[in-house]
Amino acid sequence: MEQEMENIESPQHVDHSKSEVIFDNTNRPITLKFENVAYKIKLVKEGCLKNSSKSEEEKIILKDVSGIVSPGEMLAILGPSGCGKTTLLTGLGGRLVNGHLDGVITYNNNPFSSSIKRSIGFVTQDDVLYPHLTVYETLVFTALLRLPKTYSVEEKTAHCDAVIPQLGLTKCKDSIIGDSLLRGISGGERKRVSIGQEMLINPSLLFLDEPTSGLDSTTALRIVSTLKDLANGGRTVVMTIHQPSSRLFYMFDKVLLLSEGNPLYFGRGKDAMGYFSGIGFPPLVAMNPSDFLLDLSSGILSDDPRVLSDAPREDPALIKQTLVAAFKTNLAENLNEQLQESIDHLATEKLPDKIFSQWSNTWWQQFSVLLRRGMKERKHESLSNLKVGEVLVMSFFSGLLWWKSNNIQDQTGLLFFYTSFWEFYSVFQGIFTFPQERLMLEKERSSGMYRLSAYFMAMTVGDLPMELVLPTISTVITYWMAGLKPSAGRFFSTLFSLLYNVLVSQSLGLAIGAMVMDEKSATVLALVILISYTLAGGYYVQHVPRFIAWIKHISITQHAYKLLLGSQYSLGETYSCGLNATCLVEDSPSIKTIGLGGKGISIVALAVMLFGFRFLAYVALMRIGVTKK
């Protein structure tokens, strides 16, 4: 493990002589075919009134879309927003999890399978990357997780060294990724890092969703040129793209034009203008081919005011219907012949049923890599200057307020405050963990990078030191300033009780965050639960009615507060309760309601909550990133 860490942090020590392994054509070229692909999804509509019934409406996204892409070719799927481009790409990549997908999608005449999945790279439109990792670290961690266990660590890092110059990332390989709040690499470099993550497995088939979105024309050209080079190397490249420049358009070997889920054109990109001119839809002015195709797919012949200033406009719906009918008449039959010819040609090109095992690496390898990556990334948030400053200010201020206090009521107030503060703090730390990780978890789980159990355990173990260091520092500061009992046993008992409270509270936050997955909704739910726990904690209300007293048995606050009281006071101890008078601590009004007995029950109850909440979080996460195998 230490050797792997050295390789990640010191790329200059990697043997670059092995970088050529990335160019080995270990994956068999894949011909992608899709025939009569249709996709429907049910939308639930609610009435205006609160108690009105819900109705389901079926929406058709794709309508009998067909096509074929061979190794060495780059297919661009064009169309206006909402035409079904991303849905089609997601379906071709085997990543649709909702709705009903019809039609036949094959890879060398084979259906989607785990072996096919390992030969596919998929780059989403949004670049989902960890902001605090460098470009090199991002690629190395991906290589350690995705490349098979038959490769050594040195060979996996060598793949990264080959990908970096191939994608023009040499100058920024030691720069952090960054995000909207943290300055890092440029948008084009981020996109190339995302492509590089997929290139590490040397995919035979590469899908990209809007790879040029948000980039300037020069950067977009560089990205598409890189993809064209990859296709020329024997890979099959399929991408969606919204409005490419004319320079980009003529790089595409094939173009698929969609309009409201209907195919309007499928064929060579350079033949598209001639086809539409031949069926009576010529461009009226010289213009970018992609602009012309997008106008047609939107039902617009031309927006040029010099041409149509005085001419009546045709109905867009009628134009679309005409183009759909023309496709069926002029192109559909020829396309079906191409598909049939490919079936005969690829009849002997069947892929083995199992090229790969289900997982590229063992559970322990996945756990160790995820642990290191998680600690490297999350330490910047868990131990940020803002949070450290918050805890230090709170600790010193509390110590000053309770400075050398010898009043039992004040001391119990401090213990209850610490119970509540760290309960709230830890719950909200846990709440935001999984909603912030959701996109990354979806992306990596859908690629089959690791087991969910390995991820969950790595996150749990990795968070322990970072979640416990601040409460420990806070306790050391406040305990001695407040004048609590100066005994090592009492101090460590207090510290143990507080850290136990932190772990259980964090588990509650993780469960809420994983089940709700919406930060605002999760925050509201957590506040309701925490306030209920606090009110039932035994400090504010000492005589709780029987019909609601059961809440105290499931209150983290009450059990944690009992342990903190037990760490400072024992049965039979006395305190000054008046002039020349002493009383038993268990008879103190601030302790009597909770009591000093039953600490074992509280320890067990908190343990049940600790493991129970984490189990709920794990079960809730099982629905994320699940795709068909």
Side-chain angles (χ1 to χ4, degrees):
M1 184 180 297
E2 293 178 357
Q3 181 62 37
E4 293 178 15
M5 202 63 183
E6 289 179 6
N7 289 331
I8 294 174
E9 296 183 346
S10 304
Q12 65 271 20
H13 297 305
V14 177
D15 183 3
H16 295 272
S17 63
K18 296 183 180 180
S19 61
E20 59 196 23
V21 294
I22 189 66
F23 303 109
D24 293 342
N25 191 18
T26 55
N27 284 342
R28 182 173 301 188
I30 291 179
T31 296
L32 170 67
K33 293 188 306 174
F34 45 103
E35 304 175 62
N36 302 320
V37 173
Y39 181 70
K40 303 175 183 178
I41 189 169
K42 290 185 178 180
L43 303 177
V44 179
K45 300 179 66 176
E46 296 186 8
C48 298
L49 299 178
K50 182 177 180 180
N51 296 323
S52 60
S53 60
K54 298 179 181 179
S55 62
E56 288 189 351
E57 177 183 346
E58 190 174 66
K59 183 176 182 180
I60 301 176
I61 309 296
L62 297 172
K63 306 168 187 176
D64 296 330
V65 182
S66 300
I68 180 171
V69 200
S70 302
E73 293 181 336
M74 184 163 62
L75 167 68
I77 305 175
L78 298 176
S81 299
C83 70
K85 301 189 300 291
T86 298
T87 301
L88 176 61
L89 190 81
T90 307
L92 296 178
R95 296 192 173 206
L96 282 177
V97 294
N98 298 315
H100 182 68
L101 184 67
D102 287 324
V104 179
I105 303 174
T106 60
Y107 315 79
N108 286 2
N109 290 337
N110 294 275
F112 188 84
S113 63
S114 295
S115 61
I116 295 295
K117 185 177 183 179
R118 301 297 181 189
S119 301
I120 291 178
F122 198 105
V123 181
T124 58
Q125 180 175 350
D126 297 322
D127 301 314
V128 184
L129 304 166
Y130 283 116
H132 293 96
L133 298 181
T134 66
V135 170
Y136 187 80
E137 289 169 342
T138 299
L139 293 176
V140 168
F141 281 124
T142 302
L144 293 175
L145 288 169
R146 296 195 69 176
L147 292 177
K149 57 191 172 192
T150 53
Y151 288 94
S152 66
V153 174
E154 290 76 13
E155 289 173 330
K156 291 182 179 181
T157 53
H159 277 64
C160 300
D161 291 321
V163 164
I164 286 174
Q166 189 181 12
L167 295 175
L169 296 171
T170 304
K171 292 183 179 180
C172 65
K173 71 174 184 178
D174 295 321
S175 302
I176 62 172
I177 299 295
D179 57 15
S180 57
L181 301 177
L182 183 65
R183 185 174 179 84
I185 59 178
S186 67
E189 290 167 338
R190 288 170 61 88
K191 180 59 66 178
R192 279 178 276 162
V193 171
S194 297
I195 296 174
Q197 287 184 304
E198 301 304 317
M199 289 307 302
L200 286 170
I201 62 171
N202 191 22
S204 299
L205 177 58
L206 182 61
F207 294 101
L208 305 102
D209 189 12
E210 300 279 4
T212 62
S213 177
L215 304 180
D216 60 80
S217 59
T218 302
T219 305
L221 178 62
R222 185 180 296 115
I223 293 291
V224 176
S225 297
T226 301
L227 296 174
K228 181 64 175 176
D229 291 339
L230 297 178
N232 291 335
R235 297 176 179 87
T236 305
V237 179
V238 181
M239 72 174 76
T240 64
I241 194 164
H242 182 63
Q243 200 164 9
S245 65
S246 56
R247 291 188 298 175
L248 298 185
F249 183 84
Y250 287 111
M251 288 185 181
F252 304 137
D253 299 292
K254 290 181 177 178
V255 169
L256 171 61
L257 181 64
L258 296 178
S259 175
E260 298 179 352
N262 293 293
L264 302 186
Y265 176 78
F266 180 84
R268 295 189 299 179
K270 60 183 180 181
D271 296 337
M273 300 291 281
Y275 165 75
F276 286 107
S277 297
I279 61 174
F281 292 91
L284 302 179
V285 294
M287 60 191 305
N288 180 353
S290 63
D291 292 339
F292 173 67
L293 296 183
L294 286 174
D295 285 347
L296 286 181
S297 61
S298 300
I300 301 172
L301 293 182
S302 177
D303 279 335
D304 192 282
R306 297 168 299 177
V307 178
L308 294 178
S309 57
D310 298 321
R313 293 182 179 269
E314 295 191 40
D315 181 15
L318 180 61
I319 294 176
K320 294 177 187 178
Q321 293 174 5
T322 303
L323 292 172
V324 171
F327 174 85
K328 294 179 180 179
T329 302
N330 298 288
L331 296 179
E333 183 177 352
N334 181 51
L335 179 56
N336 289 332
E337 291 178 359
Q338 292 183 44
L339 292 171
Q340 186 59 46
E341 289 176 3
S342 69
I343 292 176
D344 299 335
H345 176 68
L346 295 173
T348 60
E349 297 286 335
K350 297 245 181 205
L351 293 173
D353 292 335
K354 290 186 179 180
I355 296 179
F356 302 94
S357 61
Q358 184 177 3
W359 304 105
S360 298
N361 294 282
T362 64
W363 187 94
W364 177 254
Q365 288 173 324
Q366 295 171 6
F367 168 80
S368 60
V369 174
L370 290 169
L371 176 63
R372 295 197 308 279
R373 188 183 71 173
M375 292 184 68
K376 200 173 188 66
E377 172 62 28
R378 284 196 291 272
K379 69 180 180 182
H380 296 280
E381 181 178 352
S382 299
L383 301 178
S384 66
N385 293 334
L386 181 63
K387 291 184 177 179
V388 172
E390 173 191 3
V391 170
L392 291 179
V393 170
M394 184 279 302
S395 302
F396 280 107
F397 187 64
S398 300
L400 293 174
L401 285 177
W402 275 278
W403 178 262
K404 301 299 181 182
S405 173
N406 57 6
N407 183 288
I408 191 170
Q409 184 173 352
D410 288 345
Q411 289 181 347
T412 54
L414 172 62
L415 295 177
F416 188 81
F417 166 73
Y418 248 51
T419 301
S420 301
F421 175 84
W422 285 110
E423 188 175 322
F424 274 77
Y425 184 93
S426 303
V427 165
F428 285 104
Q429 282 277 94
I431 276 179
F432 298 113
T433 299
F434 291 127
Q436 292 174 349
E437 289 266 321
R438 177 171 186 168
L439 292 178
M440 183 65 73
L441 191 57
E442 287 179 342
K443 169 188 171 182
E444 296 183 336
R445 286 271 291 153
S446 60
S447 298
M449 288 178 64
Y450 47 73
R451 299 168 176 85
L452 179 61
S453 58
Y455 166 82
F456 192 82
M457 286 301 299
M459 186 217 65
T460 299
V461 175
D463 279 351
L464 282 178
M466 291 181 286
E467 296 299 327
L468 300 183
V469 62
L470 290 182
T472 301
I473 294 173
S474 178
T475 303
V476 171
I477 294 172
T478 306
Y479 189 93
W480 303 108
M481 291 180 68
L484 297 178
K485 294 186 176 179
S487 162
R490 297 287 187 180
F491 169 77
F492 284 110
S493 178
T494 301
L495 180 60
F496 166 79
S497 301
L498 185 67
L499 297 183
Y500 199 15
N501 179 29
V502 167
L503 292 177
V504 178
S505 300
Q506 185 202 28
S507 301
L508 173 61
L510 292 175
I512 294 174
M515 290 188 293
V516 178
M517 276 298 176
D518 177 77
E519 295 180 356
K520 291 184 179 180
S521 301
T523 299
V524 172
L525 177 60
L527 280 174
V528 173
I529 295 175
L530 289 175
I531 290 174
S532 302
Y533 280 177
T534 302
L535 294 177
Y539 185 80
Y540 293 116
V541 184
Q542 298 183 3
H543 302 286
V544 181
R546 287 188 176 182
F547 67 86
I548 202 172
W550 57 268
I551 294 181
K552 68 180 181 180
H553 299 297
I554 61 171
S555 170
I556 298 176
T557 308
Q558 164 135 326
H559 292 297
Y561 182 42
K562 179 188 283 288
L563 293 182
L564 281 175
L565 289 177
S567 67
Q568 285 296 303
Y569 308 105
S570 301
L571 291 171
E573 287 187 15
T574 60
Y575 70 99
S576 177
C577 57
L579 185 63
N580 298 323
T582 58
C583 301
L584 293 173
V585 292
E586 58 263 33
D587 294 331
S588 169
S590 55
I591 296 179
K592 188 174 182 179
T593 303
I594 299 296
L596 296 177
K599 289 191 294 184
I601 295 176
S602 293
I603 291 174
V604 172
L606 290 175
V608 172
M609 295 182 193
L610 173 66
F611 293 104
F613 288 140
R614 290 185 182 264
F615 177 74
L616 285 177
Y618 180 80
V619 172
L621 290 179
M622 292 176 68
R623 71 181 190 273
I624 296 179
V626 178
T627 58
K628 63 182 182 178
K629 301 297 183 183

